[in-house]
Amino acid sequence: MNQEKTAPMTFGQLSVIRDLDLSGPDEQSDGNLPLVLPLPPGTSKETAVAAWARLVERHEALRTVYDRGATQPTQTVRPFEPFELDTVELADATEDAALNAAADWAKQEIHIDREHSWRAAVGMHEGATTYLVCVVHHLAADSAACALLEQEFATLMAGGTLQPDPPQPLELALEQHGDADQREQTIEYWLEEWQGFVDEDRQGGDASRRVRAALYSERALTAAHRVAERLSVSVQSVIFGASALVLCRLKDRERATFGLLAGNRAEKRWQGLLSSMNQLAPITVEARRESSPDVFLRTLYLRSLERLLYGAYSIDELRRRLTEAEHANPDPLQFDCYFNFLGDIAEPPATGSPALDDVEWFDDAWQGGPSFNLRASMGAGLYLSLTASDAYLGTEAVGRFLTATEAALVNLADDTPDTLAEMSLAPLRQVSLSREPGLRTVDHE
């Protein structure tokens, strides 16, 4: 029977809610994720709508509203009801045009307490369907869930059949809240870990301008794979290690605390779940100058893996316990440096993009959130996207960070020195150190 169901939020959903609670009324749209789904040539509007409706029926997260004001916030799944979608005229038939339309919608708040967590319309150009243009709230989907939606929509468009219905967020919530022993072990773990964080990386209140830039490198990804294979560690940890090393070098210190994002999809049962499962698994990286690069990377891999295993917890419960322990900074979200590995979703930049052989600069980001936010994804190459504040790094250092991380990965693979202090971070490509034309450093080696 298709009935309304209510349960507590999952720990991942609760983390998203508490993050939004820190934002002002005009910033509630920050949780909206643009998503565009390609339509094969000749697809009718009715076929596109039917495919999206199948996904809404299949995934309860797309039919859920949230009560964020309760002492214990809840999620309520509403019964599936058939619907129609409007059309939206796109500037042209490209993905960029669809993304621009989705980005405009993403600026409008989705009222999660009374409306489902998505908006969608069929994109048209000159009378032909091109894309399903969507915005999905982060409560309903993280990057892995968005990739799942893309995959399943493509299957339906190709006339394929989906696997049996996946697990649902309510099942995960009931399991998480019902295992009291696991909850206590996880909270005790983080109470201990909280003692080792670098205070400098937990200041908050940085309202200076945020600068955004990106770099794409196939050479860096090849190098990261070689290092990972040599050391029997994950590629993600190698990329994270190189990034942490460069940040420590730029900040002239040997320790940095990161809000590492945990995807919480290690268990096979939850890999097909449509929901937000990201939470912070904070870690302090020790990049001592006399350390061997290989020992540094192996240690970071093991320490990161341990923290990710404890990456599902009630943020409200942790805050309460940290407060009771009279911790100086009991806010579980107060981290100035973020590292987020988005997975195998990177696509090569378009021909002519600066990211192919230089640093690509974007418009300034809004002045809030972490002071340093690095996102990494893989595909044919490594794509690094950094948003950092003027107060924490500054524009020139943002460009230096990206190119130095590429250099660190290549040097770790090609000529590993005896110590971290001996590692060269000189850029391997022509580099724009700002958006101002003509400001360059060294050419390609």
Side-chain angles (χ1 to χ4, degrees):
M1 182 68 69
N2 197 6
Q3 296 178 331
E4 187 169 283
K5 301 178 291 185
T6 298
M9 289 188 189
T10 68
F11 294 158
Q13 292 168 340
L14 185 60
S15 288
V16 173
I17 283 290
R18 295 312 181 213
D19 197 20
L20 288 174
D21 287 345
L22 297 177
S23 305
D26 296 333
E27 298 164 353
Q28 293 302 299
S29 62
D30 293 342
N32 296 342
L33 306 176
L35 178 67
V36 298
L37 306 173
L39 301 175
T43 300
S44 67
K45 175 189 173 184
E46 292 74 20
T47 299
V49 173
W52 181 249
R54 175 69 186 96
L55 297 183
V56 174
E57 183 179 23
R58 173 178 171 83
H59 295 290
E60 292 181 355
L62 300 177
R63 300 184 269 115
T64 299
V65 294
Y66 304 87
D67 182 357
R68 63 195 293 180
T71 302
Q72 179 172 286
T74 59
Q75 55 178 318
T76 297
V77 180
R78 291 177 171 173
F80 172 77
E81 295 180 358
F83 57 82
E84 294 294 330
L85 296 180
D86 292 333
T87 60
V88 58
E89 185 65 25
L90 304 180
D92 53 51
T94 65
E95 182 181 24
D96 284 344
L99 283 170
N100 287 337
D104 286 341
W105 287 0
K107 298 173 185 177
Q108 305 169 28
E109 179 182 357
I110 294 176
H111 297 280
I112 57 175
D113 58 333
R114 61 178 186 269
E115 60 180 330
H116 54 62
S117 52
W118 57 270
R119 297 190 182 104
V122 178
M124 308 283 295
H125 180 66
E126 296 182 349
T129 61
T130 56
Y131 288 87
L132 188 71
V133 180
C134 309
V135 173
V136 182
H137 198 282
H138 199 2
L139 279 165
D142 51 23
S143 60
C146 285
L148 176 66
L149 284 174
E150 292 180 26
Q151 175 188 342
E152 292 188 345
F153 189 82
T155 297
L156 293 173
M157 286 293 95
T161 302
L162 300 179
Q163 296 295 318
D165 285 353
Q168 304 294 348
L170 261 68
E171 297 174 51
L172 176 59
L174 293 174
E175 179 173 304
Q176 289 178 334
H177 287 269
D179 193 340
D181 290 342
Q182 181 63 45
R183 288 171 60 184
E184 179 61 23
Q185 290 175 17
T186 302
I187 294 298
E188 289 292 339
Y189 174 84
W190 287 118
L191 289 174
E192 179 68 24
E193 286 298 308
W194 235 253
Q195 309 306 315
F197 295 151
V198 178
D199 290 338
E200 186 178 345
D201 294 325
R202 302 199 66 219
Q203 299 299 309
D206 183 352
S208 64
R209 181 187 64 154
R210 265 53 171 180
V211 178
R212 298 193 304 152
L215 177 146
Y216 177 83
S217 174
E218 296 184 7
R219 185 177 181 183
L221 183 59
T222 299
H225 276 287
R226 287 175 56 195
V227 175
E229 183 176 356
R230 186 183 81 233
L231 300 180
S232 297
V233 301
S234 69
V235 176
Q236 297 95 314
S237 68
V238 173
I239 296 168
F240 180 33
S243 305
L245 171 62
V246 171
L247 182 63
C248 285
R249 185 80 64 90
L250 287 174
K251 300 291 285 185
D252 193 26
R253 49 190 170 105
E254 295 185 331
R255 299 174 73 243
T257 296
F258 290 83
L260 181 64
L261 268 292
N264 289 330
R265 293 180 184 273
E267 291 186 42
K268 185 176 181 179
R269 179 185 177 193
W270 305 117
Q271 290 176 1
L273 179 71
L274 192 78
S275 185
S276 184
M277 297 182 71
N278 290 345
Q279 290 191 258
L280 290 183
I283 181 173
T284 296
V285 179
E286 304 273 354
R288 303 197 181 280
R289 292 174 174 83
E290 68 274 14
S291 297
S292 155
D294 286 359
V295 172
F296 165 71
L297 290 174
R298 285 196 185 99
T299 302
L300 180 60
Y301 168 67
L302 293 174
R303 295 181 72 231
S304 299
L305 186 60
E306 177 185 72
R307 281 149 187 80
L308 292 175
L309 291 174
Y310 287 94
Y313 56 89
S314 166
I315 193 171
D316 286 356
E317 189 171 2
L318 178 56
R319 179 184 285 109
R320 176 179 61 80
R321 293 284 296 276
L322 288 168
T323 301
E324 290 174 353
E326 298 183 343
H327 197 279
N329 189 344
D331 187 350
L333 291 172
Q334 189 62 73
F335 293 91
D336 294 333
C337 299
Y338 277 44
F339 178 82
N340 189 0
F341 184 78
L342 301 177
D344 298 326
I345 61 172
E347 295 184 5
T351 302
S353 169
L356 289 170
D357 59 5
D358 200 342
V359 171
E360 182 177 14
W361 298 92
F362 299 91
D363 292 338
D364 296 344
W366 64 281
Q367 296 170 231
S371 300
F372 176 97
N373 192 357
L374 179 64
R375 297 178 177 90
S377 56
M378 302 190 306
L382 173 65
Y383 195 88
L384 297 175
S385 174
L386 175 62
T387 301
S389 74
D390 276 340
Y392 193 80
L393 277 186
T395 301
E396 181 174 323
V398 167
R400 288 190 182 278
F401 173 88
L402 292 169
T403 55
T405 300
E406 177 187 45
L409 289 167
V410 171
N411 290 334
L412 284 167
D414 291 346
D415 184 24
T416 307
D418 292 333
T419 67
L420 294 180
E422 298 174 71
M423 279 205 55
S424 171
L425 303 180
L428 308 177
R429 61 171 69 198
Q430 183 173 286
V431 181
S432 297
L433 289 185
S434 81
R435 288 160 296 180
E436 299 299 324
L439 183 55
R440 302 280 178 178
T441 61
V442 296
D443 290 337
H444 297 76
E445 289 189 351

